[in-house]
Amino acid sequence: MTSLPQSTEKKLGLVIDLDTCVGCHACVVSCKEWNTSNYGSALSDVDAYGPEPQGTFLNRVHSFEAQPESGCSQTVHFPKSCLHCEDAPCVTVCPTGASYKREEDGIVLVNEADCMGCGLCAWSCPYGARELDQIFGVMKKCTLCVDRIYNENIPEEDRVPSCVRTCPAGARHFGDLGDPDSDVSRLVASRDGMDLMPEMGTKPVNKYLPPRLKDVPSDAALEATHKTPEGLFAWLDKALEKL
Amino acid sequence: MHPAPSIILFTTLSGLGFGLLAFLGLGLPPVTGWVAFVFFFLANALAVGGLLASVTHLANPKNAIKAFREWRSSWLSREGVLAVASLLVMGVFAVALVFFDIRLRTVGALGALLSLATVFTTSMIYTQLKTVPRWNEWTTPPIFMLHALGGGALLAGQPRLAAILLIALGLLMMWAWIKGDEKSLAGTTMETATGLGRIGKMRLLEPPHSGQNYLLKEMAYEVGRKHAQKLRILSLLLGYALPAALMLLFTVHHLTALIAIIAHLIGVAAGRWLFFAEAAHVQRLYYGK
Ligand code: SF4
Ligand code: SF4
């Protein structure tokens, strides 16, 4: 059924801290590693060792530069994957019923046995979170590691999405955003967590934490430190002046 | 958006085919016997040919049959259901007319309605996408409908009606182009895409990958502005102005009709190419485009 559930019991999702992310792409690699060998078909690469390599990824890290009105620009590394939207347009457009949102935890998934590879769901996603696999011909997207988070065959500390487990900077958090008392919800509340493209009306579950405000202006370090000479330099200054 | 030839063929040919079917269902032109057979053959060849072209666009066509399932929520599914329904109903009408010389008026009218409804569902597949502001406009459905009706009238030998519809269509196309240029990405910017407008103006420092990928190929297609203007003019002249002029100013016989139809097809194909190529998707903002 590609109608959306009225509401979901949980709203599992990610909180991504743009203040902490160092842009190392470890999450990109670990995501590919886990998901190419688990849920659904593999994440194929085409021309992997040739001149024009390309492949399917469920998570990618963009790097932006924000230029304030004055002062230095600021680099922001920006990981992006499916945001498991509450009003997910990718689900309702799907003609085959392959795309669906789970009632129990809100995860948006593709049932590859039904997908016909029309690509309409990727067109409907504002965020570029869905990629049609070029070899297997089915739509791939973040599963929130649905095959890890409930998996009793792996140690408990591994029962989080692969990207969260891997991030060396601790920039990725996983939890129930539908529960206002969960760690992730509190984090969002305390750090002014935000939606991407709210004007699209998709109501993303995943939230982004903006970089913290700088405690000193970014160009403060660039100011000249020795404006008035002291000590030996003061004497030299004077001596030179007299010449 | 990537202007895939299969989709351009599909929307152009099927639209025309269903337009002609609609006229035939209403008894225009009032043909019977073998002449009717030729008309129905043409209409079905266009409609079915277009649908087959669209199937080649699928990356996993073995599941195409499942596309009839989600008609409650999906416009693409509705299109599939209605396309098959119109072909079946019009098939009954055609067989009765061609082989038994019986005109089942109600069946024909129902078939006409279904054919036009099919074209409407096609238009809604594009209109519904908020992510492509140029398509997400009230003009998209009437443009698709007028293509089916205008082209259908042309094929059904209704010169005056065809001319009026094509002129209206040409004007609407111009309006949609101008409004679409103004609308651009409808207020979505790199700042809203990243949520970082609070810091300042955003710029892409480094893309997430050094090569191509599906998203760039499918969603970040770009056409040169000059190119686009030329194609717009070509599309307007050949697709709508020339056929309308031929229909109004000359006595219509086979040759003028043939020229009008060929010009119309070329013009429409050019316009459809632009429909896709000029449609900017908001996700290109994440690539700094
Ligand atoms: S981010 Fe895109 S793919 Fe994921 S739920 Fe939202 S619209 Fe669908
Ligand atoms: S590509 Fe697959 S999942 Fe996406 S809309 Fe088409 S059938 Fe549904």
Side-chain angles (χ1 to χ4, degrees), chain A:
Chain A
M1 230 349 235
T2 61
S3 293
L4 288 163
Q6 287 287 327
S7 63
T8 56
E9 278 163 48
K10 286 184 175 180
K11 293 180 191 168
L12 294 187
L14 300 175
V15 174
I16 294 170
D17 190 343
L18 298 177
D19 195 62
T20 317
C21 174
V22 293
C24 69
H25 292 238
C27 53
V28 178
V29 178
S30 75
C31 167
K32 177 110 174 179
E33 182 274 331
W34 177 265
N35 286 295
T36 201
S37 40
N38 289 283
Y39 184 98
S41 65
L43 301 173
S44 72
D45 290 319
V46 179
D47 198 25
Y49 301 99
E52 285 172 15
Q54 54 172 297
T56 309
F57 286 80
L58 309 184
N59 175 34
R60 296 188 184 259
V61 179
H62 300 238
S63 293
F64 293 103
E65 193 175 62
Q67 180 64 62
E69 291 271 315
S70 63
C72 300
S73 63
Q74 190 175 339
T75 305
V76 184
H77 300 293
F78 196 96
K80 187 165 62 61
S81 53
C82 171
L83 305 149
H84 298 279
C85 306
E86 280 179 58
D87 272 338
C90 56
V91 170
T92 49
V93 299
C94 177
T96 61
S99 278
Y100 63 106
K101 185 170 175 72
R102 309 207 318 171
E103 212 162 331
E104 60 269 41
D105 51 18
I107 298 179
V108 174
L109 289 175
V110 174
N111 174 1
E112 293 175 11
D114 285 349
C115 173
M116 67 175 185
C118 65
L120 188 57
C121 53
W123 286 13
S124 76
C125 170
Y127 311 106
R130 290 179 166 237
E131 300 188 14
L132 188 67
D133 191 274
Q134 301 300 290
I135 288 181
F136 297 103
V138 291
M139 195 52 75
K140 305 296 296 187
K141 69 176 291 302
C142 161
T143 67
L144 216 55
C145 285
V146 69
D147 44 6
R148 285 175 74 100
I149 57 178
Y150 300 112
N151 191 340
E152 295 187 352
N153 298 319
I154 59 176
E156 206 176 331
E157 67 264 32
D158 286 335
R159 289 179 213 157
V160 291
S162 185
C163 55
V164 174
R165 186 78 180 94
T166 300
C167 180
R172 308 178 68 97
H173 307 269
F174 165 71
D176 181 6
L177 288 141
D179 169 7
D181 294 325
S182 67
D183 288 348
V184 279
S185 295
R186 284 198 211 154
L187 192 58
V188 170
S190 68
R191 292 276 309 280
D192 202 10
M194 61 189 182
D195 288 349
L196 306 185
M197 287 187 197
E199 69 275 17
M200 285 285 144
T202 50
K203 294 205 229 142
V205 168
N206 286 12
K207 302 282 182 239
Y208 283 76
L209 307 179
R212 291 182 173 89
L213 288 176
K214 306 268 181 205
D215 47 0
V216 284
S218 56
D219 44 1
L222 303 178
E223 299 270 321
T225 41
H226 300 287
K227 278 182 195 148
T228 43
E230 287 164 26
L232 177 65
F233 289 106
W235 174 82
L236 204 63
D237 203 44
K238 263 191 209 153
L240 286 170
E241 202 99 321
K242 277 184 187 150
L243 269 178

Side-chain angles (χ1 to χ4, degrees), chain B residues 9-270:
Chain B
L9 264 180
F10 157 61
T11 56
T12 308
L13 298 184
S14 281
L16 205 58
F18 283 114
L20 179 55
L21 277 179
F23 278 99
L24 292 173
L26 297 174
L28 292 171
V31 281
T32 50
W34 286 107
V35 185
F37 177 82
V38 173
F39 267 103
F40 278 106
F41 181 80
L42 179 66
N44 279 299
L46 288 169
V48 176
L51 289 172
L52 289 179
S54 79
V55 174
T56 67
H57 176 71
L58 303 178
N60 195 22
K62 73 174 193 301
N63 280 339
I65 193 78
K66 295 181 178 169
F68 297 112
R69 295 205 301 216
E70 299 296 336
W71 52 272
R72 283 181 219 83
S73 44
S74 159
W75 283 107
L76 180 49
S77 182
R78 284 172 200 157
E79 179 196 48
V81 172
L82 285 177
V84 171
S86 2
L87 290 175
L88 287 178
V89 172
M90 285 307 291
V92 172
F93 178 75
V95 168
L97 189 65
V98 172
F99 298 107
F100 302 100
D101 207 14
I102 306 170
R103 189 178 293 280
L104 302 168
R105 280 179 203 286
T106 346
V107 177
L110 177 68
L113 198 70
L114 285 170
S115 301
L116 292 180
T118 308
V119 179
F120 176 72
T121 52
T122 308
S123 74
M124 285 308 292
I125 296 171
Y126 304 104
T127 312
Q128 69 178 337
L129 296 173
K130 262 190 141 170
T131 49
V132 185
R134 198 186 272 277
W135 292 347
N136 188 231
E137 263 304 320
W138 67 266
T139 43
T140 308
I143 282 177
F144 273 72
M145 302 298 287
L146 280 172
H147 270 100
L149 288 170
L154 204 56
L155 288 180
Q158 309 296 318
R160 250 161 224 287
L161 185 60
I164 295 170
L165 290 170
L166 291 180
I167 291 169
L169 176 54
L171 292 174
L172 192 60
M173 296 277 287
M174 282 204 275
W175 167 270
W177 277 325
I178 294 167
K179 287 285 149 190
D181 289 348
E182 276 172 24
K183 193 179 184 192
S184 183
L185 288 182
T188 293
T189 58
M190 279 176 80
E191 287 73 35
T192 67
T194 56
L196 296 173
R198 58 181 88 190
I199 304 178
K201 196 97 192 97
M202 301 301 292
R203 170 179 102 79
L204 185 71
L205 182 65
E206 203 177 6
H209 43 95
S210 51
Q212 274 288 319
N213 76 345
Y214 169 73
L215 300 174
L216 282 173
K217 282 188 285 184
E218 188 75 7
M219 249 81 62
Y221 194 88
E222 272 172 296
V223 257
R225 240 190 115 68
K226 259 207 219 133
H227 237 66
Q229 289 302 352
K230 275 188 208 152
L231 270 176
R232 282 179 183 180
I233 292 169
L234 182 90
S235 166
L236 284 178
L237 288 180
L238 287 181
Y240 319 105
L242 180 66
L246 282 173
M247 291 296 110
L248 286 180
L249 305 178
F250 294 86
T251 43
V252 181
H253 51 75
H254 284 307
L255 187 66
T256 38
L258 189 69
I259 297 173
I261 289 165
I262 292 175
H264 177 67
L265 269 177
I266 298 173
V268 171

